[in-house]
Amino acid sequence: MRRYMKNIIKQTALFILLASLGACSGISVTSDWDPGVDFSQFKTFAVLEETQPSINRLVDQRVRAAIVAELNARGLRQVDSPDKADLAIGYQVTTEEHTSFHTVHDRGWGSAGYRRSRAHWSAPVGNSRTTQINYTVGTLVIAAFQMGEKELVWEGSGSGTVNPSRGPEQSKQRINDAVEQILKDFPPGATARP
């Protein structure tokens, strides 16, 4: 039972991650590819099945649908089996906990003053307050493998701070935005998406 609950908590955290990763303002995107590969030769793709799913079914469906939609918009056609595809597309989600500390200095004029005859000068007296902020950074990695050689030819990732979504539509939109940003330069050398 304890293991089951731990798995549910992990899946919920990953759901929140993917639901919020697409918030455009805070996502950092990188990509890398094999410059010796002619990406114009690829016409079809298949999305790989997760052998050990780390996300819940709803998020998995949304991520897969977003990847398919983006690749279709870029002129690639989905096929039902990796054996029939030019490219196999895989994806993975990771999370990492972070802590930051913010210190605020309150400056005020206190009674620690100096007296000189009738004049009174006050010197700044202050306090500082440090706040600990815990947050989660989530990363979605999408990889493309050339099926003939079964080699990685392209990889893109997007990382951002996890913020909870407010329902399925917002979750779907954020995932779509994240996938679009990660795949914005795929395939390399192609013109921008219409």
Side-chain angles (χ1 to χ4, degrees):
M1 181 68 169
R2 197 177 271 174
R3 177 182 247 170
Y4 175 76
M5 290 305 292
K6 244 180 161 175
N7 194 24
I8 292 294
I9 291 168
K10 183 178 179 182
Q11 287 182 355
T12 302
L14 289 172
F15 174 79
I16 292 169
L17 156 74
L18 282 170
S20 61
L21 186 58
C24 298
S25 60
I27 189 169
S28 172
V29 176
T30 61
S31 62
D32 193 12
W33 61 92
D34 183 344
V37 172
D38 176 13
F39 284 84
S40 67
Q41 68 180 310
F42 303 129
K43 306 296 182 200
T44 60
F45 72 95
V47 180
L48 297 173
E49 295 290 333
E50 290 288 321
T51 54
Q52 293 181 330
S54 58
I55 54 178
N56 72 37
R57 182 184 60 81
L58 296 173
V59 172
D60 183 63
Q61 289 173 351
R62 291 174 187 145
V63 171
R64 294 173 70 80
I67 290 171
V68 169
E70 274 303 308
L71 294 178
N72 285 336
R74 294 166 189 285
L76 294 166
R77 183 175 52 86
Q78 182 183 22
V79 295
D80 59 354
S81 168
D83 296 335
K84 300 176 185 175
D86 298 327
L87 291 172
I89 307 296
Y91 60 91
Q92 182 179 21
V93 177
T94 61
T95 59
E96 187 175 331
E97 299 302 317
H98 290 262
T99 301
S100 66
F101 297 91
H102 296 279
T103 301
V104 177
H105 300 284
D106 296 331
R107 290 222 163 155
W109 293 91
S111 61
Y114 301 93
R115 283 205 171 278
R116 183 174 168 232
S117 66
R118 295 184 183 175
H120 180 80
W121 292 279
S122 294
V125 175
N127 298 315
S128 23
R129 190 175 51 231
T130 300
T131 304
Q132 176 179 328
I133 299 173
N134 299 315
Y135 60 98
T136 303
V137 172
T139 301
L140 171 61
V141 178
I142 301 173
F145 300 89
Q146 186 173 4
M147 284 309 295
E149 288 75 17
K150 297 194 186 314
E151 290 183 359
L152 178 69
V153 293
W154 182 91
E155 183 178 74
S157 67
S159 296
T161 304
V162 174
N163 297 312
S165 70
R166 295 184 183 184
E169 285 305 313
Q170 186 181 32
S171 171
K172 179 181 175 184
Q173 187 58 53
R174 287 181 170 183
I175 290 170
N176 290 348
D177 291 345
V179 170
E180 180 180 351
Q181 287 186 53
I182 293 167
L183 292 173
K184 72 179 183 214
D185 295 325
F186 184 85
T191 55
R193 179 181 175 215

